[in-house]
Amino acid sequence: MNITPLSPHIGALVEGVELADLNDGEFDVLYRAYLDHKVLFFHNQSMTPEQHMSFAKRFGQLEPVHPFFPHLEEQEQVVVIETSPGSPPSKSYWHTDLTWQSIPCRCSILHAQLCPEAGGDTIWTSMEAVWLSLTPNEQNALRRLTATHALHAFEGSRYDSVTEDGQSRVAKISTQYPPVTHPLIVRHPETGNPTVYVNEQFTREVDGLSNEESEVLLNKLYQRARLPEFQIRFSWQPGAVAIWDNLSTQHFAVTDYGDKPRRLHRVTVRGEELKSY
Ligand code: SIN
């Protein structure tokens, strides 16, 4: 197995492995690389949806079925992220998967099925690098804070529809998932490293601050996360796979391909209760 780092802060390309057929020794090496590089990329992986799920289970328990994302009929825990003619992607936001849950998602695994000839890349950023870029005074000020996260950003998106009584289906579903609180600075349960755990799609506010203070602080952290030196960008080809650590990263789907066909399968792995740093 060859593991080539793609930038100092985030991302590595892994070659010479078949994810559907990894032995335990190979998985241990891969897992270490996943913790070290935060997102791993693979080309030409042939994996059925069952094999995708079995591989994901090596990272932990799978997340339950998503409340409204489309999924495969037979494998409900395989989310289908799809663009087709007449159905372009919704507005894209920087985000970390499923932070609106009280127990958030540990890792996500995307497998490309169909890609536009050009465009449709995904960008990841290191939230550990964001922490390291802060001054000691800034770090100390953030350590005691918490933030509220909620499932509000999908209302009106292409995942939404109007129910018979004229209401948003997503808004109705979202009432079953009340807002949750997470530490702003999380200690990664495995590496022990601090990471800034906020994202513009699901973080509503920093608790205990005025609306204005919260907005200023969050925007400062979001701007920092957008620094190109903390990021890695991946161009998809059919068969490509990305595996990432949701605790130490955010990601962003680049929607520059109109409604050209693009289809990815996503499986997510459950994490554990977050501890502050
Ligand atoms: C995701 O946010 O999980 C999907 C990213 C993408 O469509 O590029």
Side-chain angles (χ1 to χ4, degrees):
M1 182 185 327
N2 287 326
I3 300 172
T4 311
L6 298 175
S7 86
H9 289 292
I10 185 167
L13 178 67
V14 184
E15 294 165 299
V17 283
E18 287 296 330
L19 296 179
D21 189 26
L22 272 189
N23 64 39
D24 287 348
E26 286 174 324
F27 183 75
D28 290 348
V29 174
L30 196 91
Y31 196 80
R32 188 65 249 166
Y34 149 84
L35 291 176
D36 289 345
H37 299 288
K38 302 174 182 56
V39 50
L40 300 179
F41 303 110
F42 307 78
H43 289 297
N44 300 319
Q45 296 296 316
S46 113
M47 256 194 320
T48 63
E50 289 86 359
Q51 287 171 326
H52 188 168
M53 285 174 64
S54 303
F55 173 63
K57 281 180 191 158
R58 299 179 84 162
F59 288 79
Q61 190 191 336
L62 300 191
E63 288 284 356
V65 179
H66 193 281
F68 49 80
F69 276 7
H71 52 72
L72 294 180
E73 207 167 302
E74 307 234 316
Q75 296 85 16
E76 296 190 320
Q77 282 155 304
V78 180
V79 161
V80 179
I81 297 169
E82 182 159 33
T83 299
S84 54
S87 176
S90 305
K91 178 176 162 48
S92 194
Y93 296 93
W94 278 99
H95 68 283
T96 305
D97 290 336
L98 312 182
T99 71
W100 45 269
Q101 299 186 149
S102 56
I103 305 285
C105 172
R106 168 201 293 249
C107 119
S108 302
I109 304 176
L110 272 180
H111 186 207
Q113 311 293 308
L114 197 61
C115 308
E117 225 162 72
D121 297 354
T122 309
I123 309 174
W124 283 260
T125 193
S126 167
M127 297 307 285
E128 259 183 46
V130 170
W131 166 261
L132 291 172
S133 75
L134 300 169
T135 65
N137 279 348
E138 289 172 324
Q139 291 179 341
N140 278 335
L142 297 186
R143 284 178 77 154
R144 64 195 160 76
L145 296 174
T146 59
T148 298
H149 297 239
L151 180 56
H152 58 292
F154 293 110
E155 280 173 42
S157 76
R158 67 179 173 145
Y159 300 114
D160 203 0
S161 55
V162 180
T163 58
E164 273 174 14
D165 56 6
Q167 289 189 34
S168 145
R169 176 174 158 262
V170 166
K172 272 189 170 175
I173 295 173
S174 300
T175 58
Q176 294 160 34
Y177 299 89
V180 297
T181 298
H182 296 303
L184 198 85
I185 309 301
V186 164
R187 181 188 293 277
H188 193 288
E190 288 165 281
T191 64
N193 294 337
T195 181
V196 180
Y197 198 70
V198 290
N199 68 90
E200 68 176 5
Q201 189 162 28
F202 302 125
T203 307
R204 276 195 164 161
E205 67 211 356
V206 180
D207 304 321
L209 301 187
S210 69
N211 286 347
E212 198 191 333
E213 287 169 331
S214 167
E215 206 171 311
V216 168
L217 174 54
L218 289 173
N219 281 334
K220 177 178 162 178
L221 296 171
Y222 299 155
Q223 290 309 325
R224 201 60 70 90
R226 291 195 184 116
L227 290 178
E229 57 265 41
F230 298 160
Q231 298 181 357
I232 192 72
R233 179 168 179 148
F234 187 62
S235 292
W236 295 97
Q237 296 290 326
V241 168
I243 305 172
W244 67 94
D245 177 353
N246 274 300
L247 289 187
S248 57
T249 62
Q250 285 189 38
H251 56 283
F252 181 84
V254 182
T255 50
D256 56 354
Y257 53 99
D259 63 356
K260 294 201 182 65
R262 180 179 186 267
R263 182 180 166 99
L264 301 167
H265 287 172
R266 187 181 87 177
V267 177
T268 43
V269 179
R270 203 165 176 70
E272 52 201 81
E273 196 172 333
L274 299 177
K275 302 254 174 4
S276 62
Y277 180 73

